[in-house]
Amino acid sequence: MSKLLNVIAACLLLPVSMEAQDYSKYYQNLPVEMTQVSRPVIPNRGLSINAVGGVGDGVTLNTEAFRKGISMLSKQGGGRLTVPAGVWLTGPIVLKDNIELYLDKNAIIYFSPDKSLYVDKEGKSSRVEPCIKASKRKNIAITGSGIIDGNGAQWRPVKRGKVSDVEWNLFKSMGGVERQNGTLWYPWELKSGYPDIKDTPEKQEKMRNDLVRFTDCENVLFEGVTFQNAPKFHVHPCYCKNVIVDGITVRCPWNAQNGDAIDFSDVNVGLIVNATVDAGDDGLCMKSGKPRANSISGCEDILIQDNTVYHAHGAFVLGSETAAGMRRIVVRNCRFSGTDTGLRFKSGIGRGGKTEQLYISDVVMADIKDEAIVFQCDYVDRPAGADDKAIPTFTEEQKRWAPNFQDIHISNVVCRGTRTGIKAAGILGLDCVHDIDISDCTILYDKTPQQIDESTAKLRLSNVKLLKNEKEKTD
């Protein structure tokens, strides 16, 4: 026992420092004044998960080792918990104040397929615990160059029309059940033998949660790590202030249900730079729910720059929730290749809000499946298995929360290959899409140059070239 304590004490004295980053270089020549991010301050103290009983053999469950390591550092005032090379099987991880979770390059944190590990023990949540969570914490970070894998195939439903015969048979080989005449598969009663946590697959599907969800936190850093295969969303700070995302990779199958990559939900002061995304749903997404008293509401002062998005439903996305507003957001110097849509502004009755001072510039796109730029005001969220032909109805209270896309400035966009160049429609009788400036853009389209409902959407186009993508002649 004394030998183990000596090892732990030695680890606690390991020098740790978070190298200072000059984030001011990203804030040069901005079109609007913004508050700049600052890096979290983590105490100069370190501990390896090996020292608290962790075993990276891919078999041993390390939930307790993560809890113990974080608790030990927390009692010292915080520090870095290092995850060395290995495969670290675990249940949920909960971060505390002044904690940095650091992954070495050959470290993989792999979340257990045992769904019962994630059930809220107090029964207060309608969903399971996120794989990694923090609530009302300050100075927290996930850094390094390893991989965090949410093992999402154990949670996500699969639509038959989105997979090949080979893939479909692989899912069925896991067990599970088919619904809706064989067009939908649920990971239910799997051959792995782990227990289900609800009495129907449909109810269990609604329980799935995010890979990383931080709520009501301040001074947050995601840096260098690969986040993959989330049960639902991947990197999801909510009601947080001063959030930095720098150089991370987010990836999951292109058909992963609700596989959002980076979602900022009601974030004040944020930076997303040097990220690489290849995901099953939205790529770089801003969301805001209805205003909360005494809390952060809306997204504001967010700079998004030098990012790459491969597959995603939308590369840069606003919504669908925009109720508390979007203010002072700048997107520039990004590249999108192979997304369904490029710049996507989506919301609907009951979840819409006002946008102010949004500037998007110097974006290059190629092979965009649907629209390069699209404004949609009738978006309705439909979970797997829902009737996509049902006509929604709205109360008068919901109608108060109509989208208000305005004061948006898009310039210097080049897109080669998209079905429709620009598409926009508001809601008759409501001023949902107006004061939108699109200038100095070149879009090579395959089918339709623009599809703008001028009775409900007011866009100002200046020096916008919409060119038909003629097939190149061959000998």
Side-chain angles (χ1 to χ4, degrees), residues 14 27 32 43 62 83 86 89 189 220 234 270 283 294 330 333 337 393 443 459 471:
L14 287 175
Y27 288 83
V32 61
N62 289 281
V83 183
L89 184 70
E189 295 182 346
V220 175
H234 288 77
N294 304 316
V330 175
N333 299 329
S337 178
T393 58
I443 299 175
L459 277 60
K471 293 182 179 179

Side-chain angles (χ1 to χ4, degrees), residues 18 44 48 64 82 90 106 158 182 224 381 396 412 414 421 439 450:
M18 299 187 73
N44 188 27
S48 172
E64 178 59 19
T82 295
T90 185
N106 289 333
V158 178
D381 186 21
E396 290 303 315
N412 297 318
V414 175
S439 63
Q450 62 184 47

Side-chain angles (χ1 to χ4, degrees), residues 242-352:
N242 191 40
V243 179
I244 300 169
V245 175
D246 186 359
I248 72 170
T249 298
V250 183
R251 58 189 297 270
C252 67
W254 74 270
N255 46 27
Q257 186 74 18
N258 308 116
D260 286 25
I262 301 170
D263 283 352
F264 274 19
S265 295
D266 294 280
V267 169
N268 286 184
V269 188
L271 178 70
I272 303 175
V273 292
N274 310 313
T276 300
V277 166
D278 195 345
D281 209 312
D282 292 331
L284 312 171
C285 186
M286 307 290 107
K287 302 175 181 289
S288 71
K290 292 180 181 177
R292 300 195 315 175
N294 304 316
S295 176
I296 289 173
S297 288
C299 287
E300 63 180 45
D301 289 333
I302 296 173
L303 176 57
I304 300 169
Q305 181 173 321
D306 301 334
N307 301 293
T308 300
V309 181
Y310 295 110
H311 185 269
H313 283 187
F316 170 73
V317 180
L318 249 59
S320 59
E321 300 87 359
T322 61
M326 303 281 170
R327 300 171 289 274
R328 297 183 303 281
I329 297 175
V330 175
V331 181
R332 61 184 184 179
N333 299 329
C334 292
R335 56 183 182 174
F336 308 147
S337 178
T339 60
D340 289 350
T341 58
L343 305 175
R344 186 183 189 190
F345 305 85
K346 62 174 182 176
S347 193
I349 297 292
R351 58 177 64 195

Side-chain angles (χ1 to χ4, degrees), residues 86-112:
V87 178
W88 303 86
L89 184 70
T90 185
I93 297 171
V94 181
L95 298 188
K96 297 184 177 182
D97 290 337
N98 309 315
I99 295 294
E100 176 188 2
L101 181 64
Y102 178 87
L103 284 76
D104 284 343
K105 182 176 182 179
N106 289 333
I108 300 176
I109 295 177
Y110 194 86
F111 284 91
S112 171

Side-chain angles (χ1 to χ4, degrees), residues 116-424:
S116 65
L117 295 175
Y118 306 87
V119 175
D120 177 16
K121 303 301 187 292
E122 298 180 0
K124 295 180 179 180
S125 177
S126 61
R127 296 193 285 173
V128 299
E129 296 285 347
C131 297
I132 303 178
K133 69 174 281 189
S135 178
K136 299 180 180 179
R137 297 298 181 181
K138 290 185 177 181
N139 297 314
I140 54 177
I142 301 176
T143 68
S145 52
I147 295 173
I148 298 177
D149 193 309
N151 201 4
Q154 303 289 326
W155 293 92
R156 297 188 302 258
V158 178
K159 294 177 179 177
R160 179 65 183 91
K162 287 191 171 184
V163 296
S164 67
D165 291 345
V166 172
E167 292 170 305
W168 185 250
N169 287 331
L170 284 173
F171 281 113
K172 290 171 62 177
S173 70
M174 295 169 57
V177 296
E178 296 178 56
R179 291 286 193 266
Q180 299 186 0
N181 297 320
T183 62
L184 188 62
W185 177 88
Y186 287 98
W188 175 259
E189 295 182 346
L190 296 177
K191 293 179 181 178
S192 60
Y194 292 106
D196 293 305
I197 55 176
K198 281 290 182 179
D199 57 3
T200 70
E202 291 82 2
K203 290 180 181 178
Q204 180 168 278
E205 188 274 332
K206 293 179 179 178
M207 295 284 288
R208 61 193 172 100
N209 213 331
D210 305 333
L211 179 56
V212 182
R213 183 183 176 99
F214 294 162
T215 305
D216 297 302
C217 294
E218 186 173 349
N219 306 334
V220 175
L221 173 66
F222 301 95
E223 184 179 63
V225 172
T226 294
F227 299 86
Q228 66 183 29
N229 292 327
K232 198 172 183 181
F233 300 164
H234 288 77
V235 176
H236 193 193
C238 308
Y239 306 107
C240 292
K241 183 176 183 179
N242 191 40
V243 179
I244 300 169
V245 175
D246 186 359
I248 72 170
T249 298
V250 183
R251 58 189 297 270
C252 67
W254 74 270
N255 46 27
Q257 186 74 18
N258 308 116
D260 286 25
I262 301 170
D263 283 352
F264 274 19
S265 295
D266 294 280
V267 169
N268 286 184
V269 188
L271 178 70
I272 303 175
V273 292
N274 310 313
T276 300
V277 166
D278 195 345
D281 209 312
D282 292 331
L284 312 171
C285 186
M286 307 290 107
K287 302 175 181 289
S288 71
K290 292 180 181 177
R292 300 195 315 175
N294 304 316
S295 176
I296 289 173
S297 288
C299 287
E300 63 180 45
D301 289 333
I302 296 173
L303 176 57
I304 300 169
Q305 181 173 321
D306 301 334
N307 301 293
T308 300
V309 181
Y310 295 110
H311 185 269
H313 283 187
F316 170 73
V317 180
L318 249 59
S320 59
E321 300 87 359
T322 61
M326 303 281 170
R327 300 171 289 274
R328 297 183 303 281
I329 297 175
V330 175
V331 181
R332 61 184 184 179
N333 299 329
C334 292
R335 56 183 182 174
F336 308 147
S337 178
T339 60
D340 289 350
T341 58
L343 305 175
R344 186 183 189 190
F345 305 85
K346 62 174 182 176
S347 193
I349 297 292
R351 58 177 64 195
K354 187 178 183 180
T355 61
E356 302 173 68
Q357 295 182 293
L358 270 61
Y359 293 87
I360 302 169
S361 65
D362 301 295
V363 173
V364 295
M365 311 183 203
D367 298 325
I368 306 302
K369 176 177 171 285
D370 297 321
E371 300 92 14
I373 303 171
V374 58
F375 292 85
Q376 180 185 4
C377 297
D378 61 352
Y379 182 85
V380 177
D381 186 21
R382 301 184 192 277
D387 182 1
D388 59 6
K389 295 181 181 180
I391 299 175
T393 58
F394 302 101
T395 65
E396 290 303 315
E397 170 63 19
Q398 288 174 319
K399 291 178 182 179
R400 290 182 55 236
W401 300 95
N404 187 3
F405 293 127
Q406 58 99 52
D407 198 4
I408 298 174
H409 311 271
I410 300 170
S411 63
N412 297 318
V413 171
V414 175
C415 176
R416 179 179 176 87
T418 183
R419 185 182 65 185
T420 301
I422 302 172
K423 183 177 180 180

